[in-house]
């Protein structure tokens, strides 16, 4: 019997995401733009004033649900530039880029897998490949091609029925791609509005008014 969710369980991330889905749905019903990822939440508004007001509303909502944010982490003061999930998000000018630390981590991780595959006849631990693909896909906002350049790796995972995966040629090619620095580039920040995606005619008028309200960790 547990009084709280034990995060040591392999199912804990999925359970937490399912529970917090109601929190996210409530905010979106009230036209709040939120990007959730496990216990990290990114809120975006059109102005600093709206971001400040939203911070107070979210704080009150969390307390009413019996939740408490970690005050030592995240950004609670509205800002136009912050680091979120290994990405540098800036709204003025709008851009999303992978941080240097994350680029290095992906490059080193892919090289480690390649070296292991060379020594073990293309066989690598399944969990190792799962962690790598998860890391790469977490950066898809900054690197849209991430989905297309992990297909062979996901195929290797799908074909595996044990704790090891055999990497075929296409999977090795994808790993070499991530081991290089050719993929690291900036992707434009998608226009975001409280009432949906912005039309082209509105981007010029509101392009400099988006604020990332907070990165919240509960």
């Amino acid at each position: 019997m547990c009084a709280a969710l034990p995060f040591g369980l392999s199912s804990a991330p999925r359970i937490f995401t399912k529970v917090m889905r109601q929190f996210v749905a409530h905010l979106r019903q009230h036209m709040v733009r939120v990007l959730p990822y496990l216990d990290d939440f990114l809120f975006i508004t059109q102005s600093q004033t709206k971001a400040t007001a939203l911070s107070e509303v979210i704080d009150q909502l969390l307390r009413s649900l019996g939740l408490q944010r970690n005050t030592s982490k995240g950004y609670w003061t509205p800002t136009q530039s912050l680091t979120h999930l290994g990405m540098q998000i800036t709204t003025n000018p709008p851009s999303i880029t992978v941080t240097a630390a994350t680029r290095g981590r992906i490059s080193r991780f892919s090289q480690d897998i390649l070296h292991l595959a060379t020594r073990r006849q293309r066989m690598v631990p399944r969990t190792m490949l799962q962690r790598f693909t998860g890391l790469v896909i977490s950066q898809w906002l900054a690197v849209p091609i991430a989905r297309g350049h992990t297909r062979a790796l996901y195929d290797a995972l799908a074909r595996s029925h044990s704790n090891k995966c055999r990497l075929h040629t296409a999977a090795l090619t994808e790993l070499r791609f991530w081991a290089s620095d050719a993929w690291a580039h900036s992707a434009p920040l998608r226009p975001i509005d409280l009432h949906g995606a912005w039309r082209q005619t509105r981007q010029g008028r509101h392009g400099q008014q988006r604020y990332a309200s907070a990165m919240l960790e509960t």
Side-chain angles (χ1 to χ4, degrees):
M1 183 71 67
C2 299
L5 177 63
F7 275 84
L9 294 176
S10 60
S11 58
R14 179 174 175 80
I15 294 173
F16 183 80
T17 300
K18 288 286 188 180
V19 171
M20 294 303 291
R21 181 174 293 180
Q22 301 304 314
F23 169 75
V24 173
H26 175 79
L27 291 173
R28 287 176 174 169
Q29 286 173 359
H30 290 77
M31 300 301 177
V32 174
R33 282 292 181 178
V34 53
L35 177 64
Y37 184 82
L38 296 178
D39 62 341
D40 291 322
F41 295 80
L42 181 68
F43 302 92
I44 302 178
T45 65
Q46 290 177 298
S47 68
Q48 184 175 14
T49 301
K50 291 182 178 180
T52 301
L54 180 60
S55 298
E56 298 176 0
V57 170
I58 293 172
D59 218 6
Q60 293 175 4
L61 179 58
L62 287 173
R63 287 198 299 269
S64 70
L65 295 173
L67 299 173
Q68 185 175 359
R69 66 183 178 89
N70 191 332
T71 57
S72 65
K73 295 182 178 180
Y75 302 80
W76 202 241
T77 301
T79 180
Q80 290 183 312
S81 180
L82 55 77
T83 301
H84 181 63
L85 301 177
M87 295 175 287
Q88 186 66 35
I89 301 177
T90 304
T91 61
N92 185 19
S95 68
I96 304 179
T97 57
V98 182
T99 64
T102 303
R103 288 200 304 270
R105 184 182 174 193
I106 290 176
S107 178
R108 290 190 299 272
F109 204 163
S110 56
Q111 291 174 22
D112 289 344
I113 298 175
L114 284 168
H115 292 159
L116 193 61
T118 301
R119 296 197 306 268
R120 299 185 179 180
Q121 298 180 332
R122 299 190 177 187
M123 298 295 291
V124 298
R126 180 183 179 87
T127 54
M128 187 179 191
L129 196 59
Q130 288 174 328
R131 292 198 307 272
F132 177 76
T133 52
L135 173 61
V136 171
I137 288 298
S138 72
Q139 302 299 302
W140 75 269
L141 281 174
V143 190
I145 59 175
R147 291 176 172 177
H149 284 73
T150 52
R151 291 177 180 173
L153 296 173
Y154 277 111
D155 182 54
L157 287 168
R159 291 171 180 266
S160 173
H161 299 289
S162 66
N163 60 354
K164 293 183 179 180
C165 296
R166 181 176 295 278
L167 301 179
H168 44 79
T169 302
L172 293 172
T173 299
E174 287 182 349
L175 285 170
R176 294 188 187 99
F177 171 77
W178 294 111
S180 70
D181 202 36
W183 56 270
H185 62 278
S186 173
L189 183 61
R190 298 174 182 177
I192 297 177
D193 184 84
L194 292 178
H195 303 288
W198 289 8
R199 296 189 300 273
Q200 187 68 28
T201 55
R202 299 177 63 190
Q203 291 183 25
R205 186 167 70 252
H206 298 294
Q208 307 301 325
Q209 298 179 8
R210 290 186 294 275
Y211 276 77
S213 173
M215 184 176 74
L216 168 68
E217 293 194 9
T218 55

